[in-house]
Amino acid sequence: MLMRTDPFRELDRLTQQVMGTAGTWSRPTAMPMDAYRDGEEFVVSFDLPGVALDAIDLDVERNVLTVKAERRPVGKDVEMQVSERPLGVFSRQLFLGDSLDTDHIDAKYDAGVLTLRIPIAERAKPRKIAISAGEDAPRQIDA
């Protein structure tokens, strides 16, 4: 259903956390996520606390889902006393399998969590196949 392609993403995330660097549009920071199957849907949740709804960009091109978000500073005339929350651009790309229906993705943003519900495509659902008897089936002989 979902393919992970960047083996160094966690190392990049840890480095950005330790160094305190903010994500930029050319080099965004990773955002944490959960992904699981719930019946006939594939659910993906992204943690985006403090990000305004209008600062989230969600795209699907072919089977690639891209989520980008930006957490902006509080204000220009503010003197920060403590700044531990990461600012900047966050991004995540997911390669979705052919078994998902990318035309009917439902996206909701509530309490800092972006939740996507992607239905399983009809062609990927298990189904029964009827078997018919062919010409070589045994026949009853009347005498």
Side-chain angles (χ1 to χ4, degrees):
M1 300 267 175
L2 180 70
M3 298 184 317
R4 296 188 76 165
T5 58
D6 188 358
F8 299 106
R9 183 169 292 277
E10 289 303 312
L11 182 61
D12 287 344
R13 183 189 62 78
L14 182 63
T15 304
Q16 286 175 341
Q17 228 173 11
V18 171
M19 302 292 222
T21 58
T24 63
W25 284 104
S26 61
R27 186 139 180 90
T29 303
M31 65 183 80
M33 71 168 220
D34 289 334
Y36 56 92
R37 183 172 177 167
D38 182 18
E40 300 289 318
E41 294 179 316
F42 193 69
V43 181
V44 184
S45 298
F46 299 93
D47 282 349
L48 296 169
V51 175
L53 180 61
D54 64 344
I56 301 172
D57 187 31
L58 182 63
D59 290 321
V60 176
E61 186 176 337
R62 296 191 183 165
N63 284 0
V64 179
L65 173 77
T66 304
V67 180
K68 277 194 173 187
E70 182 177 11
R71 185 179 300 126
R72 299 176 180 117
V74 177
K76 294 179 181 175
D77 298 333
V78 176
E79 182 181 330
M80 291 297 288
Q81 300 299 311
V82 177
S83 180
E84 295 179 349
R85 297 173 56 210
L87 298 175
V89 179
F90 304 87
S91 178
R92 198 75 185 246
Q93 275 194 328
L94 303 177
F95 294 90
L96 305 176
D98 292 333
S99 60
L100 298 176
D101 185 1
T102 57
D103 293 332
H104 296 96
I105 295 176
D106 178 47
K108 288 195 172 56
Y109 186 60
D110 184 37
V113 178
L114 175 64
T115 303
L116 307 178
R117 294 188 167 277
I118 310 167
I120 306 297
E122 286 297 321
R123 66 184 176 276
K125 292 179 184 175
R127 59 190 177 280
K128 291 283 187 184
I129 298 175
I131 302 171
S132 61
E135 296 293 323
D136 296 335
R139 297 182 188 179
Q140 181 178 355
I141 299 175
D142 294 326

